[in-house]
Amino acid sequence: MYPDPSSITRITSIGAGPIGGGWAAHFLARGYDVTAYLHDASESDAFHAILRTAWKSLTDLGLAAGASLDRLRIVTDLEAALDGAEFVQESAPERLEIKQALYQRLGLILPTEVVIGSSTSGLMMTDIQATCATPERCVIGHPFNPPYLLPLVEIVGGEQTSPEAVAWAGKFYEIAGKAPLMMKKEIPGFVATRLQEALWREALHMVANGEATPEDIDIALMNGPAPRMVSQGQCMAFHVACGAGGMATNLDQFGPALKLPWTRLEAPELTKELRDRMVDGCNAVAGDRDFEDMAAQRDREIVAVLNALRHSRGG
Amino acid sequence: MYPDPSSITRITSIGAGPIGGGWAAHFLARGYDVTAYLHDASESDAFHAILRTAWKSLTDLGLAAGASLDRLRIVTDLEAALDGAEFVQESAPERLEIKQALYQRLGLILPTEVVIGSSTSGLMMTDIQATCATPERCVIGHPFNPPYLLPLVEIVGGEQTSPEAVAWAGKFYEIAGKAPLMMKKEIPGFVATRLQEALWREALHMVANGEATPEDIDIALMNGPAPRMVSQGQCMAFHVACGAGGMATNLDQFGPALKLPWTRLEAPELTKELRDRMVDGCNAVAGDRDFEDMAAQRDREIVAVLNALRHSRGG
């Protein structure tokens, strides 16, 4: 029912803000024809400013063959903006009544084989699609800011979304140069924001208690966890840091530390099931790479990141 | 009373594990004479293996003039290892009774003007120094793993530590090529581990609830928050993402989101005082840079990081 994701060439991006503009820039850089729907022509200047800023970075990252800002069309009539669209990225304001009114119209205007991805970070697709006559092709496709630079797109459907549309979106975003995360459940904050929000709230607690300043928080992150996290994430960082024993050693040996007051967040109970999920998950990612290989890759990547930052900062 | 931190040339590193070995490698790479104290000669092979691994990365990062592995001396007698030491980095096993027995001896052997920095990640200096006859020069100097790559050192004293020793350690570590974080209070987990631990426990909750796999967690971090966090931390990331309004806009507009279930960690109350601390702290870091400058710097740095990783991965 849905077209081959690699056959898509025409995308409509809805929204004039940093997210809508960032998506438009990203798709243009990957060589798509992009129609941007702006609610009002007065938004055009700010929209073009976002595109200009994004294009500089996208050029430095490398443009796809044929990619051009000339392949952008700006339209302020919704029906005209959707005409010929093969995929729609929706980045309208984050208010449920606005999204619902929009999806009601999208559901009637767009052919049913056109998948709609929503950039929402705070709303659930189950709620957004409630007013849509064709809700089965509506999915979350949540980017991380700035969307023209950070590869992540979190993908999940609402209760009325078809599994086929969700799977199609995962394939499409990957072809379009993104790093898709296929979510297992529709949860508030999705995955990345939940992780970031836990860290953020602990930071606010520390500032509230006079334990750290905002500057301290950022010094700690930039020089400690972040250069390793960009290379390995957090699960594999612990897996590799524990040597040949990996995540099993981490949890069996340091599991009791989960009860220590190292954050205001209470840990879940470390059941046998949770322990095995973590261990099996890390082993699956590791595949046939051994500990030394992964530690050496981590070190090469951290060195590359630190040298790149130093060079970028003129050091 | 303490010597000029820039006059230090001879360092003793205590501990044969990845942290002690990593510190020895780091100090050698910065051009110091290093004496490594190993508890037992049988640890020597593993210690040399850590050094060899670290040295490759340290060479890629750039060695200080005169830096050489030949300036390492390995000693298994504690008194001999401390002879002539001008600074001591202690990375003994993480058990309080071992540390206390060690600091009792260090306190008697080392001249009082020699500062001792402890790599402990889980113990409090107030407890470690309890058995030391000269506790005023004992500080925490907590690195992040791997210590030969990640710049962060968290610095804080115990109840008996003199403020002069803490300030001295901050200057010394900076001269020695580290990024010192002067902690405001002696708290469990210090700053960086608390932030990481909040994220980690939220990750465990998600895996326990079938909301994400370990692989999902890492995909989310590596492609979402981490490339931005390595450039800006988290406070400045939000400050810059909110445009000219900065952190004030973030908290005034999105403050209510702190009550949403975006993590299992309950946020602190957003008092006027906390709001102002966050806003003033971010404004202080920003200095006279405006929003556009900082956003452009963020984008340059994320591009540099993404390109460095891609290149390192052969992409």
Side-chain angles (χ1 to χ4, degrees):
Chain A
M1 161 183 187
Y2 298 107
D4 180 348
S6 65
S7 73
I8 302 298
T9 63
R10 290 189 302 275
I11 294 171
T12 294
S13 174
I14 296 177
I19 305 300
W23 269 119
H26 171 79
F27 287 125
L28 285 164
R30 301 321 312 148
Y32 291 93
D33 292 308
V34 175
T35 300
Y37 166 72
L38 306 191
H39 189 64
D40 193 291
S42 66
E43 299 171 318
S44 180
D45 285 354
F47 187 79
H48 277 291
I50 294 168
L51 283 183
R52 276 194 305 273
T53 296
W55 202 254
K56 195 193 161 318
S57 295
L58 289 162
T59 304
D60 292 341
L61 282 173
L63 301 174
S68 167
L69 281 173
D70 293 340
R71 293 171 65 184
L72 171 71
R73 209 166 53 106
I74 292 186
V75 177
T76 56
D77 176 82
L78 186 61
E79 290 203 35
L82 297 171
D83 188 38
E86 295 166 330
F87 174 74
V88 173
Q89 182 72 40
E90 171 275 306
S91 313
E94 281 281 272
R95 283 167 48 198
L96 184 58
E97 67 275 19
I98 292 177
K99 299 259 196 207
Q100 285 184 336
L102 178 61
Y103 278 73
Q104 190 165 26
R105 293 188 64 195
L106 295 177
L108 299 173
I109 298 170
L110 283 167
T112 55
E113 72 272 16
V114 177
V115 172
I116 308 169
S118 174
S119 302
T120 184
S121 58
L123 303 172
M124 300 285 100
M125 180 45 78
T126 295
D127 299 320
I128 293 173
Q129 70 190 174
T131 57
C132 184
T134 49
E136 69 287 344
R137 45 53 183 282
C138 302
V139 304
I140 300 289
H142 172 238
F144 228 69
N145 189 55
Y148 51 90
L149 287 183
L150 297 176
L152 183 66
V153 182
E154 297 178 296
I155 298 162
V156 69
E159 285 173 15
Q160 296 188 73
T161 308
S162 79
E164 290 74 22
V166 174
W168 187 93
K171 285 186 202 132
F172 167 72
Y173 281 119
E174 184 160 25
I175 291 165
K178 287 293 186 180
L181 169 55
M182 307 307 288
M183 288 183 55
K184 308 297 177 280
K185 292 185 181 178
E186 191 184 22
I187 50 170
F190 313 136
V191 173
T193 299
R194 292 189 74 87
L195 297 166
Q196 177 178 271
E197 184 76 7
L199 183 155
W200 174 237
R201 291 187 187 180
E202 181 64 38
L204 289 175
H205 277 293
M206 282 197 267
V207 173
N209 284 285
E211 295 161 357
T213 64
E215 183 177 18
D216 293 339
I217 301 292
D218 287 351
I219 289 174
L221 292 172
M222 294 162 71
N223 297 287
R228 192 176 64 186
M229 196 181 289
V230 80
S231 164
Q232 298 188 299
Q234 192 60 58
C235 302
M236 290 306 285
F238 282 160
H239 183 70
V240 173
C242 285
M247 182 55 69
T249 294
N250 179 291
L251 293 175
D252 297 344
Q253 192 166 319
F254 304 119
L258 291 172
K259 304 224 183 270
L260 294 177
W262 282 356
T263 157
R264 276 83 178 178
L265 178 51
E266 206 172 307
E269 195 194 342
L270 187 57
T271 60
K272 169 89 169 60
E273 191 180 1
L274 173 55
R275 183 243 184 228
D276 291 349
R277 279 188 196 178
M278 293 302 300
V279 172
D280 296 347
C282 288
N283 285 334
V285 173
D288 57 6
R289 292 177 299 166
D290 66 14
F291 147 67
E292 283 84 3
D293 290 344
M294 291 186 288
Q297 183 184 351
R298 171 197 68 193
D299 287 8
R300 280 195 307 275
E301 292 180 4
I302 294 177
V303 167
V305 165
L306 294 178
N307 276 337
L309 285 171
R310 189 167 52 179
H311 185 259
S312 180
R313 288 165 188 167
Chain B
M1 163 181 185
Y2 297 107
D4 179 350
S6 65
S7 73
I8 302 298
T9 62
R10 290 190 303 275
I11 294 172
T12 294
S13 174
I14 296 177
I19 305 299
W23 269 119
H26 171 78
F27 286 126
L28 285 164
R30 301 323 309 151
Y32 292 94
D33 293 309
V34 175
T35 300
Y37 166 71
L38 305 191
H39 189 63
D40 193 292
S42 67
E43 300 171 319
S44 181
D45 285 355
F47 186 79
H48 278 291
I50 294 168
L51 283 184
R52 276 194 305 273
T53 296
W55 202 253
K56 196 194 158 322
S57 295
L58 289 163
T59 303
D60 292 341
L61 283 172
L63 303 173
S68 170
L69 282 173
D70 294 338
R71 293 172 67 184
L72 171 70
R73 212 167 50 106
I74 291 186
V75 178
T76 57
D77 175 80
L78 185 61
E79 288 203 38
L82 297 171
D83 188 38
E86 295 167 328
F87 175 72
V88 173
Q89 183 72 40
E90 172 273 308
S91 312
E94 282 281 273
R95 282 166 49 200
L96 184 58
E97 67 275 19
I98 292 177
K99 299 260 196 204
Q100 285 184 335
L102 178 62
Y103 278 73
Q104 190 166 26
R105 292 188 66 196
L106 295 177
L108 299 173
I109 297 170
L110 283 167
T112 55
E113 73 271 17
V114 177
V115 171
I116 307 169
S118 175
S119 302
T120 185
S121 59
L123 303 173
M124 298 286 101
M125 180 46 76
T126 294
D127 300 320
I128 293 173
Q129 71 190 174
T131 57
C132 183
T134 50
E136 69 286 346
R137 45 57 180 282
C138 302
V139 305
I140 301 288
H142 173 240
F144 229 69
N145 189 55
Y148 51 89
L149 287 183
L150 296 175
L152 183 66
V153 182
E154 297 178 295
I155 298 162
V156 68
E159 284 174 15
Q160 295 188 74
T161 308
S162 79
E164 290 75 20
V166 174
W168 187 93
K171 286 185 201 132
F172 168 72
Y173 281 118
E174 184 159 26
I175 291 165
K178 287 294 186 180
L181 170 54
M182 307 306 289
M183 288 182 54
K184 308 297 179 281
K185 291 183 181 178
E186 191 185 21
I187 49 170
F190 313 136
V191 174
T193 301
R194 292 189 74 88
L195 297 166
Q196 177 179 270
E197 184 76 8
L199 182 156
W200 174 237
R201 292 187 186 179
E202 181 64 37
L204 290 175
H205 278 294
M206 283 197 268
V207 174
N209 284 288
E211 296 161 358
T213 64
E215 183 177 18
D216 292 339
I217 301 292
D218 287 350
I219 288 173
L221 292 172
M222 293 162 72
N223 297 289
R228 192 177 64 186
M229 198 183 288
V230 80
S231 164
Q232 299 187 299
Q234 191 60 59
C235 300
M236 291 306 285
F238 283 161
H239 183 70
V240 174
C242 285
M247 182 55 68
T249 294
N250 179 289
L251 294 175
D252 297 344
Q253 192 166 321
F254 304 119
L258 291 172
K259 305 225 184 271
L260 294 177
W262 283 356
T263 157
R264 277 84 178 177
L265 179 51
E266 206 172 304
E269 193 193 342
L270 187 58
T271 61
K272 170 87 167 60
E273 191 181 1
L274 173 55
R275 183 244 184 227
D276 290 349
R277 279 188 196 179
M278 293 302 300
V279 172
D280 294 348
C282 288
N283 285 333
V285 172
D288 57 6
R289 292 177 298 166
D290 66 15
F291 147 67
E292 283 85 3
D293 290 345
M294 291 186 290
Q297 183 183 351
R298 172 197 68 193
D299 287 7
R300 281 195 308 273
E301 293 181 2
I302 292 177
V303 167
V305 165
L306 295 178
N307 276 336
L309 285 170
R310 190 167 53 179
H311 184 258
S312 180
R313 289 165 186 166

